Amino acid sequence: MKRVLALFLAVIVAVGFSDMPVFAIEQTKEIRKMEERQQRGAGASGVQTITLGKDQLSGKVTGVGDTHTYQFTISKPGRTRWKVTSYATYKISIQDTEGKTVWSEEKLYEGSVSPRKDTLEADLTKGTYYLKMTIVKRDSGTIGGSTASDMAGTWQIETGFTEVNETYPEPNNNNSQASNLAFQKTITGQIAVNDDRDIYKITLRSAGRLTMDVTSYMQYYGIELTDSSGKRVWKTDYNKWNENMRKRSDTHQIDLLAGTYYMEVSGKSKIDASTILGKSINATGMYQLKVSYQDAKVNHKEPNNDFNTAVQIKSGQNINGQIALNDSCDIFRFQLTKKIDVKISVTSYMRYYSAYIYDSKGNQRWKKEGSEWNLSTGSRKDNYTVSLEKGTYYLKITGNMTGNHNPYTGTYRLNVIYDKIDIKNAKISGISDQVYTGKVIKPKVTVKYGNTKLKNNTDYTISGSSKKIGMAKITIKGKGNYTGSKEVTFKINPQKAAFQEVKNKSQRKVKLTWKRDKNVTGYEIYRSTQKTKNYKRIKTIKKNKTTSYTDQGVIKGKTYYYKIRSYKTVNHKKYCSSYSKVKQVKIKK
């Protein structure tokens, strides 16, 4: 082709372009087009179509610059593999259908008895490509007794391909193309030599924590999160794989406000324009990603990051909050009508938190900085008392160790008591059914207002009780910062009954006896042929003086299981004891 073109050029020079016949001009143009097609391997004559993984390529060039071009198509994205054996310095490259070189490698052959062997890999998106194999330099020495002309320039290529089943379709290289990411689903993606990023869209309807589980089969990977305005809120970069395992696994946790975010996955480091140690980092390969979401259950309005947007809180109100990467603090406002000791309760799930109180003029009146969590529990709880005069105050919560340094993120719980609180809204727990003792029963209780556990005789007092079987009640009355009262009821049940004897004394009869309880109305007897289930009541004894019963509905050879409980009727309502231990008897008579 070059000789033909040279001949036409010589004619042009000799006779002048203007004197050339029209057909010669058109033919010259066509020759040029043909050469261009051959140079880029796009539809030129002599281009061989190959199937990766099946066809083996080989050749022996006669001169430097000889090029062999092959066309191949992959229906799915994946990794192409080229195992090259060559006795010459060569350049191998891949071009797309537009003639753009998307990948190339050049390998130097220095001349030896053995050929040069390379395994080269290129990750590609689906499509049609052209592979070019070009001899750059031939060795002039001898190989195994043969002259260089016998073997120099020979080469072979073993082809291979491993497809990647990407979860989301390509292209997704900008925000408008971004795939909507589903939570709790493991997705597979690929960064290729002609596809350097994947972008996913994440929508958070409320503030919360994203957990990213990443497994990368690239030498490096990077992830960057930006908000809907394009501002970067988080990144991780220069994540290098384990050379031996050829992969890397990480878990990242990111606390964010509600909103729309775009997550970019790449094989590049974002540290310094993708260069480290003078080498460009443009890793390619497969990755797997699973993103989970946990709602922070924030119950106040955002944003509240300054005095103007501070959230008004009521005394004793339970606040659920979160410090996020794009929400460095929360500020709350409260008013005092008189001088009072303000009670502040904080439960933090951040590694560190700091709390500050400012007056209406912006003067700091109190602070507590650098409160570190308990590493084993991942939390910390504190109660503070701050004496303040009448006025308006602002309480600021951050995830900082001190000032604006070393910020951490996560959730917290807050309760501020600065006025009398009606204890009727408190939660009372710890009162289970009680057992009759003959003495006044005063059960222990747990009283909590929100996340704050109240103290007996400091925040409340307990009155009332009973020693009788039946329904009893106590009254919880507010004290100190708490006012009002709340009644709580509980049961007092009879003592547990117990069998004294269970015997098969006569034919097909079982006699049961037990100790009398003069404080009950009567007893209930239950029977089963299985020790742990299917018990049925076979007799109700309506007098507490009766302490025996004979069961006549038994069958010889079977084993029966019995249990008993006592009961007392009070105001037409039955109060029962717990069941006795099970007694068993085998019918022998």
Side-chain angles (χ1 to χ4, degrees):
M1 177 62 68
K2 291 181 179 179
R3 292 177 180 177
V4 174
L5 180 60
L7 179 60
F8 270 84
L9 291 174
V11 172
I12 293 172
V13 173
V15 302
F17 188 83
S18 61
D19 296 329
M20 288 182 65
V22 173
F23 79 90
I25 296 174
E26 294 301 323
Q27 193 169 2
T28 301
K29 292 180 180 179
E30 184 62 31
I31 291 172
R32 287 175 176 170
K33 290 180 181 179
M34 186 179 295
E35 185 179 56
E36 289 174 358
R37 289 199 302 270
Q38 190 176 39
Q39 287 176 350
R40 70 172 184 262
S45 60
V47 175
Q48 180 182 347
T49 300
I50 61 173
T51 301
L52 300 188
K54 292 183 179 180
D55 293 327
Q56 309 299 310
L57 316 179
S58 63
K60 181 177 180 181
V61 297
T62 58
V64 174
D66 282 357
T67 299
H68 293 254
T69 304
Y70 304 89
Q71 177 182 306
F72 64 92
T73 299
I74 53 176
S75 59
K76 286 188 175 182
R79 173 163 289 179
T80 61
R81 190 171 292 103
W82 316 93
K83 293 185 178 180
V84 183
T85 302
S86 177
Y87 282 99
T89 297
Y90 67 89
K91 178 179 180 181
I92 186 171
S93 62
I94 295 176
Q95 296 176 344
D96 60 21
T97 54
E98 300 298 320
K100 180 182 178 181
T101 298
V102 296
W103 173 83
S104 67
E105 292 278 354
E106 186 170 322
K107 299 297 181 182
L108 175 65
Y109 179 69
E110 297 179 339
S112 65
V113 175
S114 301
R116 179 185 180 97
K117 294 186 176 182
D118 301 293
T119 298
L120 307 174
E121 295 175 331
D123 295 295
L124 297 170
T125 59
K126 69 177 182 178
T128 297
Y129 299 92
Y130 297 90
L131 175 76
K132 282 192 172 186
M133 179 65 175
T134 303
I135 298 302
V136 176
K137 177 183 178 184
R138 296 174 59 188
D139 184 72
S140 59
T142 60
I143 302 173
S146 300
T147 62
S149 60
D150 294 330
M151 301 185 69
T154 64
W155 53 267
Q156 291 180 336
I157 301 177
E158 178 183 340
T159 68
F161 178 69
T162 303
E163 69 179 31
V164 173
N165 292 313
E166 287 192 298
T167 305
Y168 294 104
E170 292 284 359
N172 57 345
N173 299 336
N174 55 52
N175 290 1
S176 63
Q177 299 171 336
S179 304
N180 289 308
L181 188 71
F183 294 137
Q184 299 291 348
K185 178 182 179 181
T186 299
I187 66 171
T188 299
Q190 178 191 245
I191 301 302
V193 294
N194 54 341
D195 180 31
D196 63 355
R197 73 194 68 184
D198 289 334
I199 297 181
Y200 302 94
K201 183 178 180 180
I202 299 174
T203 302
L204 302 183
R205 294 183 178 180
S206 58
R209 169 168 290 182
L210 292 182
T211 299
M212 295 183 185
D213 293 310
V214 184
T215 299
S216 169
Y217 298 88
M218 300 182 282
Q219 186 179 5
Y220 301 93
Y221 82 85
I223 300 178
E224 183 173 302
L225 271 178
T226 57
D227 60 22
S228 56
S229 70
K231 181 181 179 181
R232 185 176 68 197
V233 295
W234 176 84
K235 72 171 182 176
T236 178
D237 44 35
Y238 193 47
N239 297 296
K240 187 177 181 180
W241 70 2
N242 181 292
E243 294 284 355
N244 297 320
M245 299 180 67
R246 293 177 66 83
K247 69 176 183 178
R248 177 190 177 111
S249 295
D250 296 295
T251 296
H252 306 286
Q253 291 186 325
I254 309 112
D255 295 300
L256 297 169
L257 287 173
T260 299
Y261 300 89
Y262 295 91
M263 179 176 67
E264 177 187 309
V265 181
S266 72
K268 297 180 180 179
S269 169
K270 301 295 182 182
I271 293 177
D272 55 353
S274 302
T275 58
I276 290 183
L277 300 179
K279 295 183 179 180
S280 176
I281 297 175
N282 191 15
T284 64
M286 186 183 76
Y287 63 87
Q288 290 181 318
L289 176 67
K290 181 180 178 182
V291 179
S292 305
Y293 166 70
Q294 182 178 3
D295 190 343
K297 298 182 179 179
V298 173
N299 62 358
H300 62 85
K301 185 179 178 181
E302 290 281 5
N304 59 333
N305 300 338
D306 54 39
F307 285 8
N308 293 326
T309 58
V311 172
Q312 176 72 40
I313 57 174
K314 297 178 181 179
S315 181
Q317 180 181 353
N318 295 316
I319 299 294
N320 298 331
Q322 176 189 244
I323 301 302
L325 288 172
N326 49 349
D327 183 30
S328 62
C329 68
D330 288 333
I331 298 179
F332 304 94
R333 182 178 68 250
F334 59 94
Q335 285 88 26
L336 302 182
T337 58
K338 61 181 179 180
K339 181 179 179 180
I340 195 173
D341 287 343
V342 177
K343 307 283 187 180
I344 302 172
S345 175
V346 182
T347 301
S348 169
Y349 300 91
M350 300 180 281
R351 183 173 176 180
Y352 289 91
Y353 81 87
S354 293
Y356 308 86
I357 292 179
Y358 301 89
D359 61 23
S360 58
K361 296 180 180 180
N363 299 313
Q364 188 180 104
R365 300 293 299 273
W366 174 84
K367 70 177 180 178
K368 181 63 178 179
E369 293 184 318
S371 299
E372 185 178 11
W373 69 5
N374 182 310
L375 184 60
S376 61
T377 62
S379 64
R380 177 190 177 109
K381 184 173 183 179
D382 294 297
N383 292 298
Y384 307 106
T385 300
V386 183
S387 182
L388 295 172
E389 303 287 339
K390 177 182 176 181
T392 299
Y393 295 90
Y394 299 86
L395 173 62
K396 179 179 179 181
I397 302 292
T398 75
N400 302 336
M401 290 178 63
T402 57
N404 295 318
H405 302 291
N406 307 104
Y408 291 88
T409 64
T411 58
Y412 65 88
R413 305 290 178 263
L414 175 68
N415 188 283
V416 180
I417 299 174
Y418 59 86
D419 200 357
K420 295 286 186 179
I421 300 172
D422 197 330
I423 207 165
K424 70 179 181 180
N425 296 318
K427 292 183 179 180
I428 314 297
S429 60
I431 303 182
S432 57
D433 290 354
Q434 305 293 306
V435 177
Y436 174 79
T437 62
K439 298 179 180 180
V440 174
I441 295 176
K442 292 184 177 181
K444 293 182 179 180
V445 298
T446 299
V447 182
K448 292 186 71 175
Y449 193 91
N451 299 316
T452 303
K453 184 179 179 180
L454 308 189
K455 295 181 179 180
N456 190 14
N457 294 323
T458 299
D459 301 312
Y460 65 89
T461 59
I462 300 176
S463 61
S465 190
S466 178
K467 67 177 182 179
K468 296 180 180 181
I469 294 173
M471 190 64 70
K473 69 179 180 180
I474 57 174
T475 300
I476 310 295
K477 187 175 181 180
K479 183 179 179 181
N481 286 328
Y482 296 86
T483 186
S485 61
K486 185 173 187 176
E487 288 187 348
V488 182
T489 59
F490 60 95
K491 290 181 182 179
I492 299 177
N493 291 322
Q495 292 181 340
K496 182 190 293 186
F499 285 120
Q500 290 181 318
E501 186 178 53
V502 177
K503 290 287 185 179
N504 175 214
K505 290 186 175 181
S506 58
Q507 190 175 13
R508 296 182 185 179
K509 294 179 181 179
V510 176
K511 186 173 182 180
L512 305 98
T513 60
W514 57 90
K515 186 178 179 180
R516 180 191 176 191
D517 186 346
K518 63 182 180 179
N519 296 300
V520 301
T521 301
Y523 315 92
E524 294 178 340
I525 299 171
Y526 293 80
R527 185 186 73 187
S528 177
T529 56
Q530 300 176 70
K531 186 175 183 178
T532 59
K533 59 183 179 179
N534 295 332
Y535 281 88
K536 294 183 178 179
R537 187 173 62 193
I538 60 172
K539 185 65 177 178
T540 298
I541 309 296
K542 297 183 178 180
K543 294 182 178 180
N544 64 33
K545 293 181 179 180
T546 302
T547 57
S548 66
Y549 171 70
T550 299
D551 181 11
Q552 302 184 46
V554 296
I555 300 173
K556 186 177 180 180
K558 280 194 171 185
T559 298
Y560 292 88
Y561 301 88
Y562 295 89
K563 59 185 181 181
I564 187 173
R565 69 178 181 180
S566 58
Y567 72 92
K568 184 178 180 68
T569 303
V570 180
N571 296 327
H572 306 292
K573 187 174 181 179
K574 185 184 286 187
Y575 297 87
C576 300
S577 73
S578 57
Y579 290 102
S580 69
K581 289 184 179 180
V582 172
K583 291 285 188 177
Q584 73 179 66
V585 58
K586 185 171 183 179
I587 309 305
K588 297 180 179 180
K589 297 180 181 181

